[in-house]
Amino acid sequence: MSDPVTLIDIIGKMSNPGISNDKQPLIVIDAGIATEDNLEMLRGKGYLYVCVSRSKPHKDYTTDTANAIIIKDKRDNEIKLKYMDTQDSKDRWVYVKSNNKTKKEDSMLCRSMDNFELEMSSVRSGISKKGGTKKAEKVWERIGRIKERNKSVHKYYDIKVEAKDGIALEVEYTKKELEAETKQNGEYYLVSDRKVRTIKYTKELVKYAHN
């Protein structure tokens, strides 16, 4: 069973008559479960929710970060917040930029690149080893499987296989220069159907997201 389809069962248990609902519950869910179908289900059942959005408000949306609110988390890391003008949305959107998240994303990207290069190095050395993969066709098949396992990073490399008579002579993988828009930036969006628009509540939303 995939994660998103488990939410309705959990909500059903929360609706048990034995559970007190004196106050309107606020459901906190991660982006993996926050499908539009699940959010629509929560709206229909009268629940408030907050989640990290699975996408931007729409494809070409850009965020004006002027006059953003600056707060700090418990480790004194700065977090930039701003309510967004999304009048066509059913929800309240909050733009969040976290320098700490940028560092975390950069670290994850570096580890993924290291793993990709380690696997590509194995392909390169295999063409000169006894019993290694030497046929160009098979070499490309190996590279294809590596790219499949490393979907998030292989796009940052130019890969070439020099071959003669169907035999691979050299495997090259050159790291591209990352453009600014492709680098990790620590930005994400929170979505909530609670319409309160206060700095205090925004801080609470970010606490949920960072916990």
Side-chain angles (χ1 to χ4, degrees):
M1 180 180 291
S2 65
D3 287 343
V5 299
T6 64
L7 182 62
I8 191 167
D9 291 335
I10 296 170
I11 295 301
K13 292 176 182 177
M14 289 179 58
S15 302
N16 189 301
I19 298 177
S20 174
N21 285 329
D22 294 336
K23 294 182 179 180
Q24 191 175 16
L26 175 66
I27 310 300
V28 183
I29 52 179
D30 65 19
I33 297 178
T35 63
E36 183 52 41
D37 285 344
N38 277 340
L39 297 185
E40 191 62 42
M41 181 269 292
L42 292 174
R43 294 186 199 108
K45 292 183 178 296
Y47 286 101
L48 299 174
Y49 56 80
V50 59
C51 61
V52 177
S53 174
R54 295 161 68 95
S55 64
K56 292 183 177 182
H58 52 75
K59 183 179 179 181
D60 300 318
Y61 192 92
T62 56
T63 304
D64 178 8
T65 59
N67 302 317
I69 301 166
I70 304 295
I71 66 170
K72 292 187 177 182
D73 64 16
K74 61 185 178 182
R75 296 183 178 177
D76 209 36
N77 297 303
E78 283 195 352
I79 303 171
K80 183 181 292 186
L81 311 170
K82 187 167 184 180
Y83 278 106
M84 300 166 58
D85 182 13
T86 50
Q87 296 180 357
D88 57 340
S89 175
K90 299 175 183 178
D91 299 310
R92 170 68 67 193
W93 286 68
V94 182
Y95 165 84
V96 185
K97 179 176 175 62
S98 166
N99 292 335
N100 196 47
K101 190 172 189 297
T102 301
K103 295 176 183 177
K104 181 179 178 180
E105 289 175 344
D106 284 341
S107 177
M108 292 172 63
L109 180 62
C110 287
R111 287 199 299 271
S112 296
M113 284 183 163
D114 287 345
N115 184 67
F116 177 79
E117 291 182 12
L118 183 63
E119 292 197 65
M120 287 299 300
S121 175
S122 176
V123 174
R124 172 187 281 173
S125 61
I127 65 176
S128 58
K129 285 183 178 179
K130 183 178 180 180
T133 303
K134 298 178 176 60
K135 289 185 178 180
E137 181 182 357
K138 295 297 182 182
V139 168
W140 276 115
E141 287 180 5
R142 282 193 67 186
I143 293 172
R145 290 193 292 271
I146 292 171
K147 290 171 71 174
E148 183 66 22
R149 289 193 295 271
N150 298 272
K151 292 180 180 179
S152 63
V153 296
H154 74 78
K155 61 185 177 182
Y156 298 128
Y157 292 84
D158 287 319
I159 301 173
K160 297 179 181 178
V161 176
E162 183 182 342
K164 182 178 181 180
D165 299 328
I167 302 299
L169 304 176
E170 183 60 70
V171 175
E172 298 180 0
Y173 48 98
T174 307
K175 189 184 297 183
K176 301 176 184 178
E177 180 65 31
L178 300 187
E179 297 180 2
E181 61 268 22
T182 66
K183 294 182 180 180
Q184 307 304 301
N185 57 21
E187 296 179 342
Y188 59 97
Y189 300 87
L190 294 181
V191 175
S192 178
D193 61 343
R194 185 172 179 179
K195 300 302 182 182
V196 177
R197 185 170 184 168
T198 66
I199 293 176
K200 180 180 178 181
Y201 180 60
T202 306
K203 291 180 179 179
E204 292 301 316
L205 290 184
V206 174
K207 285 181 182 178
Y208 286 133
H210 279 257
N211 290 335

